């Protein structure tokens, strides 16, 4: 067995490949993007960039129904989009192993919030595994497929940016054969309709004990003996923080949820105080407080409730350092629009047209909110720009513009566009089409007609799509042609109805690739 250095993302992908997956789905999102890229580039497994996370989840669910194993990966906020099929799939159950990998982003290095996916796993009543390093990331992902088939449930693997983007040694093993296809009709289990729901919920509840037994069987959560009356409960990667302290303290390492409460109870009973380390929200700390009040953690104010935890605050608790430095001494370098970026040119024209309010969306173009452009007034979540603009315009406010990227428009901008037309709002929608999902590393979109494997496929025509949604006007402009762009924006702002301006010019970093 070969041992190599791997990124956490690649280790997860490799674990899924070794587990014999037949398909992988995802929508790009840092820090989880490279998982699908690794599968697509380094194996013969079929893989797709889905148009959004909900679709990625549903396609994956379909694969699982055939009896085959499937990997679905996304960033933490992606699960908000996929939460509808996610929640109910736990009631229906799965057939072929279904593993959902979440990339959480404590510290919000490239995200709109810091939500903790462990709550989603608990909410859906499914198991969640949390690796501490790349080796565990690979092994846990592999095991997650077995557990999924043992329980007939989707299994979540929760990871975070620091693990997914770090390199550590991983043991490469052989690849298990794919499952045979066995697609069966089973209306009592596969139909989430009222006559089935309460029974399915009851069966899911009955599985909870079995989940705990399986977690125990695999030994995910274990106590490492040490000296002294202070103990540490460490979840996922924080186990490494605890080890880095160099203290020989008793540690309860948590790698899987739900956690058997008696494990925590017995651990804290023998101690004077316990320190709970976890990246994200105080999920295990809240549980620990049921058994002792002598807890140091985020709720006690000893550790920060926000941001990435990292090692420094942990060192401070142990008086190994006096204070936590606000930064690493490096000059902060927030991302900016690249020189020559077509979005930059578009914003200059938009600013000149003086819209009353500009609702933004998520992508490279969000950087237009920064000085000197200061072109965007709000940004909430993917696809929200058009709905927000409609809401503002519904109150009689004129000359409101929504700005949305091509991938974001396809992800979740089409339905609010139809909504705006249907409810007769007066807004200008600007689709910034740079032929790429630029922000997450230039993945292809349906509008350029190339799939995740780099093969040609059908190309979506955004202008025709908008017309089919019933918008009042669609103009396609080149943002490098400032005069035409400005005129189109002005017309769109001053003319009643839902008007669309598509500012089309490929991101400079992909333009070359598209031409060749
Ligand atoms: C729900 C959700 N999924 C994924 C992401 C990650 N993400 C940030 S921006 C973006 C898309 C950007 O593509 P596009 O709209 O084409 O704009 P560009 O970056 O190319 O300007 C994605 C997928 C996210 N922030 N939220």
């Amino acid at each position: 067995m070969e041992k190599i250095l791997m990124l956490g993302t690649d280790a997860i992908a490799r674990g899924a490949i070794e587990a014999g997956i037949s398909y992988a789905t995802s929508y790009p999102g840092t820090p989880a993007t490279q998982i699908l890229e690794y599968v697509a580039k380094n194996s013969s497994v079929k893989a797709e960039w889905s148009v959004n996370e909900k679709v990625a989840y549903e396609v994956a669910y379909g694969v699982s129904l055939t009896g085959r194993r499937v990997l679905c990966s996304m960033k933490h906020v992606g699960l908000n989009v996929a939460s509808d099929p996610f929640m109910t799939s736990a009631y229906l159950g799965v057939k072929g192993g279904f593993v959902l990998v979440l990339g959480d982003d404590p510290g919000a290095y490239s995200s709109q919030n810091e939500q903790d996916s462990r709550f989603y796993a608990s909410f859906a009543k499914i198991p969640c595994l949390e690796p501490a390093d790349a080796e565990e990331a690979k092994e846990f992902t592999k095991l997650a497929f077995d557990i999924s088939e043992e329980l007939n449930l989707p299994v979540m693997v929760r990871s975070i940016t620091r693990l997914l983007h770090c390199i550590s040694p991983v043991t490469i093993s052989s690849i298990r054969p794919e499952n045979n296809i066995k697609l069966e009709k089973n209306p009592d289990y596969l139909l989430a309709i009222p006559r089935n729901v309460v029974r399915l919920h009851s069966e899911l509840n009955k599985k909870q004990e079995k989940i705990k037994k399986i977690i125990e069987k695999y030994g995910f959560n274990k106590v490492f003996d040490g000296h002294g009356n202070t103990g540490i409960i460490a979840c996922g990667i924080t186990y490494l923080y605890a080890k880095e302290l160099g203290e020989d303290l008793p540690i309860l390492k948590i790698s899987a949820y739900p956690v058997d409460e008696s494990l925590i109870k017995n651990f804290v009973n023998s101690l004077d105080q316990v320190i709970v380390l976890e990246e994200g929200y105080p999920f295990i700390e809240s549980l620990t407080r049921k058994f002792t009040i002598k807890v140091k953690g985020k709720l006690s104010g000893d550790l920060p409730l926000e941001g990435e935890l990292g090692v420094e605050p942990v060192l401070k608790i142990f008086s190994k350092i006096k204070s936590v430095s606000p930064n690493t001494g490096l000059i902060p370098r927030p991302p900016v629009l690249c020189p020559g970026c077509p979005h930059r040119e578009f914003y200059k024209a938009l600013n000149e047209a003086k819209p009353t309010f500009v609702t933004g969306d998520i992508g490279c173009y969000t950087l237009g909110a920064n000085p000197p452009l200061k072109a965007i007034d709000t940004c909430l979540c993917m696809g929200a720009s058009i709905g927000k603009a409609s809401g503002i315009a519904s109150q009689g406010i004129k000359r409101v513009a929504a700005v949305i990227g091509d991938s974001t428009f396809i992800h979740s901008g089409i339905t609010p566009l139809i909504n705006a037309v249907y409810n007769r709002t007066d807004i200008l929608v600007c689709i910034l089409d740079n032929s790429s999902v630029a922000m997450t590393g230039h993945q292809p979109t349906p509008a350029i007609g190339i799939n995740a494997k780099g093969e040609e496929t059908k190309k979506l025509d955004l202008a025709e799509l908008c017309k089919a949604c019933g918008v009042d006007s669609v103009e396609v402009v080149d943002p490098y042609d400032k005069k035409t762009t400005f005129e189109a924006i002005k017309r769109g702002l001053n003319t009643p109805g839902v008007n669309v301006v598509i500012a089309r010019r490929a991101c400079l970093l992909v333009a070359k690739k598209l031409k060749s």
Side-chain angles (χ1 to χ4, degrees), residues 184-201:
E184 287 163 331
K185 297 190 182 185
N186 193 348
D188 288 343
Y189 281 88
L190 295 184
L191 294 172
I193 52 175
R195 79 173 146 88
N196 286 337
V197 168
V198 176
R199 176 182 46 81
L200 290 173
H201 188 191

Side-chain angles (χ1 to χ4, degrees), residues 27-30 53 75 77-79 81 110-112 343 362-366 381-382 404-409 411 432 434 436-440 445:
Y27 180 74
T30 311
E53 293 87 350
K75 71 181 289 162
V77 283
L79 191 49
V81 180
S110 50
S111 303
Q112 57 266 44
H343 297 338
I362 303 196
C364 282
Y365 53 93
T366 317
C381 66
M382 281 191 75
I404 186 165
D406 48 343
S407 177
T408 307
F409 178 67
H411 175 279
L432 306 196
N434 59 357
S436 170
V437 196
M439 181 134 245
T440 50
T445 77

Side-chain angles (χ1 to χ4, degrees), residues 475-491:
E475 293 196 56
V476 182
V477 297
D478 175 357
Y480 273 18
D481 178 350
K482 193 171 155 202
K483 189 165 177 294
T484 314
T485 304
F486 170 73
E487 293 299 336
I489 293 171
K490 209 169 79 177
R491 259 194 305 281

Side-chain angles (χ1 to χ4, degrees), residues 214-229:
I214 285 179
I215 289 175
E216 200 186 325
K217 178 178 91 181
Y218 284 103
F220 283 115
N221 303 328
K222 49 183 173 251
V223 174
F224 293 89
D225 291 333
H227 293 100
N229 297 325

Side-chain angles (χ1 to χ4, degrees), residues 42 72 90 129 195 234 254 260-261 279 293 297 299 316 337 343 352 367 376 412-413 416 424 442 450 480 500 506:
N42 297 287
C72 179
L129 310 183
R195 79 173 146 88
I254 306 270
D260 179 356
E261 292 188 7
E279 286 288 8
I293 50 160
L299 294 172
K316 190 173 162 243
L337 288 172
H343 297 338
E352 257 174 52
L367 301 170
I376 296 172
S412 47
R424 304 193 74 95
H442 302 111
I450 294 172
Y480 273 18
V500 173

